[in-house]
Amino acid sequence: MGSDYQFNERQGDYYGNALRYLGFASKVERKFELTKLGKYVADLPNSDNRNKIIIKQILSTKCFNLIFVNTLHNGGEFDNDYIDHVLLDNAMSVRSSTTAKRRRSTVKNWLNWVLSTATAE
């Protein structure tokens, strides 16, 4: 599969785990499979409705919700120290400040997408 889409196994694992984190996929043995919600979203056209479901899933997670609310309170500005603190306190896979800093980039990119999508509607 990886060569068909021109990304490596590590990238595929990253995207699969992102889908799993959001409830759109599960991992069965060594393969990712779409959940009922994942299949539903995958079948939707790229639309406001589809985006709303994705945003709802992102913001339903404690880390993203806390950071999103903090960012809104900061006038749309991210607080890197706060993001790292939230990740270290709430994300089981984040056990060091080095990992928190790496994950911060993903958090900011996802939330920038949420903010840009929400303001475009």
Side-chain angles (χ1 to χ4, degrees):
M1 178 176 117
S3 62
D4 293 344
Y5 296 101
Q6 298 187 358
F7 58 78
N8 65 36
E9 188 174 329
R10 185 169 180 229
Q11 286 173 297
D13 197 52
Y14 169 84
Y15 293 119
N17 281 315
L19 289 171
R20 212 169 99 191
Y21 179 75
L22 296 174
F24 296 125
S26 61
K27 197 166 190 178
V28 179
E29 294 177 19
R30 298 192 69 196
K31 289 185 168 185
F32 292 100
E33 294 181 4
L34 291 176
T35 61
K36 186 176 179 180
L37 178 61
K39 289 176 186 174
Y40 175 74
V41 171
D43 288 339
L44 289 173
N46 193 6
S47 64
D48 289 345
N49 187 41
R50 181 179 184 204
N51 291 342
K52 284 178 187 176
I53 295 168
I54 295 168
I55 290 168
K56 180 182 174 195
Q57 291 302 111
I58 291 170
L59 296 180
S60 72
T61 67
K62 185 174 184 177
C63 287
F64 279 94
N65 191 283
L66 288 170
I67 295 165
F68 181 73
V69 169
N70 178 265
T71 302
L72 292 179
H73 286 297
N74 289 336
E77 296 294 322
F78 292 107
D79 179 338
N80 290 335
D81 291 334
Y82 181 77
I83 294 171
D84 294 352
H85 171 76
V86 168
L87 291 171
L88 285 164
D89 285 353
N90 297 286
M92 292 181 0
S93 63
V94 178
R95 297 185 188 106
S96 72
S97 59
T98 303
T99 303
K101 287 179 178 144
R102 276 199 326 269
R103 297 279 170 83
R104 181 195 320 147
S105 172
T106 298
V107 169
K108 289 167 79 170
N109 285 329
W110 285 21
L111 290 180
N112 272 326
W113 176 80
V114 168
L115 289 166
S116 69
T117 301
T119 58
E121 293 178 2

